[in-house]
Amino acid sequence: YANEGKDLYIKHGCNACHDPFERKTGPSFKEISQRYGTSKSAIEKVAKLIIKPNPSNWPGFAYMPPYNISYQEALKLAEYVLIHSQKEKQIKKQEGSLPESEAF
C-alpha cells in the first residue's frame, strides 16, 4: 500500500495541511504515528478518522473536514500516514549516507 497511500495523500491534497515530519495547519504524520501507533487496529482507527475526523482529538489545530473516500482508500492512506511516510525519511538518510563512489 505504500505507493497507493502516497498517491492518495497527493490526490486528496492532504499535503496542504499535513507533512510527514513538520507541523503545518494539521499535525505531522510523525505526531499522528506517535499517538496512535502502527498496529492494524491503529490503521483502522486512523482510517475511520480520515473519513469522519474528530476535531477534539487535536485541539489547537484547524478543523479537518470529513473525506468522502472509500474505507479501502482510507486504510491505504492511514497506512501511509502511520508507517510508510516515516520510512521514507529513513530510506533517504540511508541513500544519502553512501559514499559518492558507491552512490551509482
Side-chain angles (χ1 to χ4, degrees):
Y1 285 165
N3 289 335
E4 291 177 73
K6 186 172 186 174
D7 290 345
L8 291 167
Y9 164 71
I10 294 164
K11 175 185 173 184
H12 293 295
C14 306
N15 57 331
C17 296
H18 294 280
D19 179 85
F21 300 99
E22 295 182 28
R23 283 181 172 214
K24 291 174 86 175
T25 305
S28 71
F29 292 163
K30 182 178 181 180
E31 291 172 288
I32 296 169
S33 183
Q34 287 171 339
R35 175 175 291 186
Y36 293 104
T38 57
S39 68
K40 184 175 188 277
S41 63
I43 292 167
E44 291 167 353
K45 182 173 188 159
V46 170
K48 290 174 185 170
L49 288 169
I50 290 168
I51 294 170
K52 187 178 179 186
N54 182 352
S56 65
N57 285 346
W58 294 93
F61 286 100
Y63 169 75
M64 180 175 152
Y67 273 79
N68 187 18
I69 61 175
S70 72
Y71 184 60
Q72 287 304 313
E73 279 191 324
L75 284 171
K76 292 172 187 175
L77 190 49
E79 189 172 313
Y80 175 73
V81 167
L82 297 176
I83 300 170
H84 300 298
S85 67
Q86 301 307 296
K87 288 181 179 178
E88 284 180 359
K89 189 170 190 175
Q90 293 169 347
I91 291 167
K92 284 179 185 174
K93 276 184 179 178
Q94 290 169 352
E95 288 173 353
S97 66
L98 291 175
E100 277 189 42
S101 61
E102 295 179 30
F104 303 105

